[in-house]
Amino acid sequence: MQYAPSPPSARPRRSLARFLPQAVLAPSLAATFLYVVVFALWSVWIALSNSTLLPDYSYAGFIHFAELWRNHRWTIAYTNLFLFGTLYVIGATLLGLLLAILIDQRVRAEALWRTIFLYPLAISFVVTGTVWRWIFNPTSGVQQLVRDLGWAGFTFDWIVRRDLAIYTVVITGIWQASGFAMALFLAGLRAVDPDLVKAAQIDGARMSRIYLRIILPSIRPIFIAVMVILLQFAIKTFDLVLALTSGGPGISTTVPAIYVYDLMFQRGQLGEGAAAAIMVLLALLLVLVPYGVWIGWQRRRERAHG
Amino acid sequence: MSMRSKTQPVAGSFAWLAALLMFFPIFWMILASFKTEVGAIATPPQLIFTPTLENYRDILGRADYLSFALNSVIVSFGATALAILLAVPAAFGMAFYPTARTRGTLLWMLSTKMLPPVGVLVPIYLFCRDVGLLDTRTALVIMYTMMNLPIVVWMLFTFFKEMPKAIIEASRIDGANVWQTIVHVLLPLVLPGIASTALLNIILSWNEAFWSLNLTAHDAAPLTAFIASFSAPEGLFWAKLSAASTMAIAPILVFGWISQRQLVRGLTFGAVK
C-alpha cells in the first residue's frame, strides 16, 4: 500500500490503515499463544512441582519423571507410540501413494473417489473405532465371516491377543489416514511437468521406470510434508484407540494420551500426568526439529542455486 | 500429470475395489442400524433383510440422546461462529496489508496446530475446575476455538489472498465508502471462502473427542462422548449403537457430500483446491 507522498490531512487515516490490520490480528495471536505457549509452560511447571492429588507449586525436581519411567505401563505406552507411529506413517504413506497413482491413470469420476477416500478422516474416530472393534472381534467380525464361508480353521483374533492388538490399531489408523495422503500425493502428481514425462516416453522408458526415476523424485517435498503431518496425527492418537481397544487387552495398546487420561481421572496424579504430557511434547519435538532443519537447509540450497 | 488420454479400465476397477473396501466399514455400520439386534449379530451376516426403524426409535426415545445431540450442535456452531469472528479480520489484515512478518506469523500459527492436546491437558483441566467451567458447553466452545483458530485463519488467508485487490480500489474510486465497499463488493466475494472454512470447522468440532471426554461428564457432553460411553459393542446392543453412530455421522456424510470440494480443500489444509 505504497502511494505517492500524501497531503498532511490524509495522514491519520494512513496510520490507522497501517495499525488496524495488526490490531485485528492480536486476538487470534493471543489466543494461540495462550493455548500453546502459556499452558505448555504451565504443564512443565506442574511436572516439576510437588503436585499429586492437589496442585502444589513448590519445586520438586524430576521426581515425577522418575516415577513415570519406573512405571511399566508407561514404557509400554511410549514404546507403542513409536511402534504405532512408524508403521502407521509408512503404511499410510505407501497406501496413499498407491491410491494416488491409481487415480492418476484417469479413472472416471475422480472427485467422487477423492471424497470417498477422505471420508474416514472426516468422520468421528470414536465412531470408526467402534466399527473396527466390531470387525476385529473374533466372534462377530472377519474371523467368523471367513469361518462361515467354509474355512473352519481360520483365525484372526489379533484384537484379543496382547502381543498383536497394537497392529489392529495400526490397520485402523492406516485405513483412516491413507485417503489424506492420497489427496496430497494426487495434487503433487498433477503438478509434475508433463514435458519431462513425455520426453521419457519418447525415449522409450516404461511407465514404472518413469514413476520411479522421474515423477516420485520430483514430489519429494510432498513425501516429507505428508510424513510430518501423519507423525503428528500419530502422536495425537487418542479417541481411535479408546474406541477400538480402550488400551487393552490388559494394558497392551496403551498410548501416552490414554495413559495421561487414566492418571488424571482414575488416580488423580497431576504431577505424573503432566510429566507424561511433557514426554509427548518431546516426542513431537523429535519430529519437528529435524523437519525445521531440513526446511532451512532446502531454503539455503535454493538461494545458493537461484 | 496424467498423460493418458483414455480411461484405464484396469485402474478403474482397482479404484472401485479400493473405494469399496474403504467405505465398507461405514456401510456395514449403516446397514446394521436397520437390522434387529439379533439380525445384526447373525452369522452368516445378513445382506438381505427387512429393514427396521426400531433402533432409531429406541435411541431417539432416550431422553438424553437429544441433549447430547443438542450439545454437539451448540458447541460446534458456537465454536465456529467465535473462530470465524476472530479470524476474519486477522486473515483479512494479513492478506491485504502484508508486512515482512506476515508469512512467519502465519506459519507459526499453523505449526501450533501440531500441538498434541494432551500436552496442555493438566493445566487446562485445573483451570476449568477452578473457574467452574467443568462440564459446561462454554468450556468446549473456548477450547475448540483456541484449538482450531490457526487452521481457520490459514484457510481464510488462502481465500482472501486469491481475491483481486484492484476491485477494492476500483470501488473506492467509483465513490463507494468503506461500508459500501465491504457490503456490496467484498462480502459477496468472500462469502464462499468463509462458508467452506466454517464447514471445515464445524466438522472438526463435531468430531472432536479429546476435550469433550476430558472436560465434560454429562451435562455438556456431545455425541462423541455419548458413543464412547456406550458399553463395548460385543453385547446385544450393536444395532442400537450403530443407529446412534449413524445419526452422529449423518450430518457430516451429507454436508461432506454436498460440498465435496470444500471438504477436500479443508481436510488437506487448503493444499488441494
Side-chain angles (χ1 to χ4, degrees):
Chain A
M1 298 251 82
Q2 290 296 317
Y3 296 110
S6 48
S9 63
R11 245 203 208 126
R13 203 173 233 188
R14 281 284 144 75
S15 71
L16 185 72
R18 275 234 307 273
F19 167 74
L20 203 60
Q22 308 283 318
V24 290
L25 179 59
S28 296
L29 270 184
T32 309
F33 185 80
L34 176 75
Y35 177 56
V36 175
V37 180
V38 174
F39 280 113
L41 287 176
W42 194 346
S43 274
V44 174
W45 189 9
I46 296 174
L48 295 174
S49 74
N50 270 312
S51 305
T52 48
L53 282 172
L54 292 170
D56 169 356
Y57 289 109
S58 57
Y59 181 73
F62 289 85
I63 52 162
H64 294 303
F65 288 91
E67 256 168 64
L68 187 69
W69 284 104
R70 273 200 303 273
N71 195 324
H72 182 52
R73 191 173 176 203
W74 170 254
T75 48
I76 287 180
Y78 217 61
T79 319
N80 276 342
L81 177 62
F82 282 90
L83 180 68
F84 166 75
T86 310
L87 294 176
Y88 162 81
V89 170
I90 293 174
T93 306
L94 287 183
L95 187 59
L97 183 63
L98 204 70
L99 290 173
I101 292 177
L102 203 63
I103 292 191
D104 195 34
Q105 311 303 315
R106 287 247 165 134
V107 297
R108 228 169 280 167
E110 174 190 323
L112 186 84
W113 301 128
R114 221 172 36 187
T115 310
I116 290 182
F117 288 131
L118 267 171
Y119 259 146
L121 197 72
I123 290 171
S124 159
F125 299 173
V126 172
V127 168
T128 52
T130 310
V131 177
W132 278 93
R133 177 184 214 149
W134 176 256
I135 292 174
F136 286 126
N137 185 309
T139 58
S140 63
V142 175
Q143 176 177 308
Q144 191 61 43
L145 179 69
V146 176
R147 283 185 182 178
D148 287 340
L149 289 177
W151 183 0
F154 180 78
T155 37
F156 182 61
D157 56 354
W158 292 7
I159 203 163
V160 294
R161 297 267 303 270
R162 275 165 192 266
D163 52 337
L164 294 174
I166 188 71
Y167 299 106
T168 65
V169 182
V170 172
I171 293 173
T172 313
I174 291 174
W175 170 78
Q176 169 226 305
S178 52
F180 170 78
M182 184 274 290
L184 289 192
F185 279 129
L186 190 57
L189 290 177
R190 289 292 149 80
V192 173
D193 182 4
D195 290 344
L196 273 179
V197 180
K198 265 185 206 132
Q201 274 178 323
I202 289 166
D203 288 348
R206 264 183 326 210
M207 251 353 255
S208 55
R209 245 182 110 72
I210 296 178
Y211 266 105
L212 276 176
R213 288 295 171 81
I214 299 172
I215 299 173
L216 296 188
S218 69
I219 58 167
R220 196 173 43 198
I222 297 185
F223 270 96
I224 307 279
V226 165
M227 290 174 97
V228 168
I229 295 174
L230 288 178
L231 267 170
Q232 57 93 27
F233 279 159
I235 293 171
K236 283 181 186 162
T237 302
F238 169 75
D239 31 0
L240 190 70
V241 180
L242 199 72
L244 186 66
T245 63
S246 319
I251 52 172
S252 58
T253 55
T254 306
V255 290
I258 299 234
Y259 182 83
V260 177
Y261 176 72
D262 285 350
L263 271 187
M264 287 278 294
F265 296 105
Q266 283 170 17
R267 297 203 277 142
Q269 294 293 332
L270 299 179
E272 204 187 326
I278 301 307
M279 296 310 302
V280 177
L281 292 181
L282 283 180
L284 180 70
L285 282 184
L286 227 58
V287 176
L288 289 188
V289 169
Y291 181 59
V293 170
W294 183 79
I295 293 271
W297 177 72
Q298 283 272 312
R299 285 226 182 105
R300 265 199 309 279
R301 213 180 55 160
E302 259 164 42
R303 226 171 284 148
H305 282 266
Chain B
M1 139 4 285
S2 348
M3 68 291 300
R4 314 215 162 174
S5 46
K6 270 192 174 167
T7 299
Q8 299 288 305
V10 182
S13 39
F14 268 117
W16 262 107
L17 192 71
L20 272 177
L21 279 176
M22 275 293 196
F23 199 69
F24 179 77
I26 300 162
F27 169 75
W28 196 246
M29 180 193 77
I30 297 174
L31 215 58
S33 73
F34 292 107
K35 296 176 180 176
T36 59
E37 289 294 354
V38 180
I41 55 167
T43 60
Q46 301 176 328
L47 263 176
I48 298 151
F49 59 94
T50 328
T52 169
L53 286 174
E54 182 195 334
N55 302 308
Y56 288 93
R57 248 198 313 274
D58 281 1
I59 293 291
L60 286 172
R62 290 179 55 146
D64 51 355
Y65 178 84
L66 288 176
S67 110
F68 289 117
L70 191 67
N71 284 338
S72 271
V73 172
I74 293 177
V75 168
S76 49
F77 280 83
T80 301
L82 189 57
I84 294 280
L85 211 64
L86 285 171
V88 165
F92 191 80
M94 286 198 281
F96 283 84
Y97 306 93
T99 67
R101 265 169 301 161
T102 298
R103 192 100 206 138
T105 311
L106 259 175
L107 284 179
W108 177 77
M109 279 192 84
L110 199 63
S111 69
T112 63
K113 192 74 186 78
M114 295 200 173
L115 177 89
V118 68
V120 290
L121 168 65
V122 180
I124 284 180
Y125 179 82
L126 289 177
F127 178 79
C128 286
R129 190 180 65 184
D130 292 348
V131 297
L133 278 177
L134 278 188
D135 205 10
T136 63
R137 293 189 283 244
T138 315
L140 288 188
V141 168
I142 295 172
M143 286 318 302
Y144 294 178
T145 304
M146 289 209 292
M147 194 175 70
N148 291 328
L149 202 51
I151 199 92
V152 173
V153 170
W154 169 261
M155 284 277 290
L156 289 172
F157 174 82
T158 62
F159 278 113
F160 291 165
K161 199 77 191 148
E162 287 166 9
M163 279 168 43
K165 295 200 171 70
I167 200 163
I168 297 174
E169 272 151 45
S171 81
R172 298 296 292 274
I173 290 164
D174 285 350
N177 63 32
V178 179
W179 181 243
Q180 284 167 327
T181 308
I182 289 176
V183 172
H184 296 295
V185 181
L186 276 181
L187 214 54
L189 275 176
V190 299
L191 264 183
I194 295 180
S196 62
T197 309
L199 173 83
L200 170 74
N201 201 61
I202 289 171
I203 292 179
L204 291 177
S205 312
W206 187 273
N207 292 342
E208 208 284 334
F210 184 83
W211 292 111
S212 65
L213 285 168
N214 278 296
L215 295 182
T216 66
H218 183 268
D219 291 355
L223 285 170
T224 42
F226 169 66
I227 306 237
S229 75
F230 235 105
S231 58
E234 284 89 343
L236 264 180
F237 302 109
W238 171 241
K240 272 186 206 62
L241 180 55
S242 294
S245 300
T246 304
M247 277 195 279
I249 64 168
I252 308 295
L253 283 177
V254 174
F255 273 127
W257 196 253
I258 295 170
S259 51
Q260 290 184 22
R261 277 189 56 201
Q262 283 83 345
L263 180 83
V264 170
R265 186 172 179 164
L267 286 176
T268 56
F269 310 130
V272 178
K273 280 173 192 154

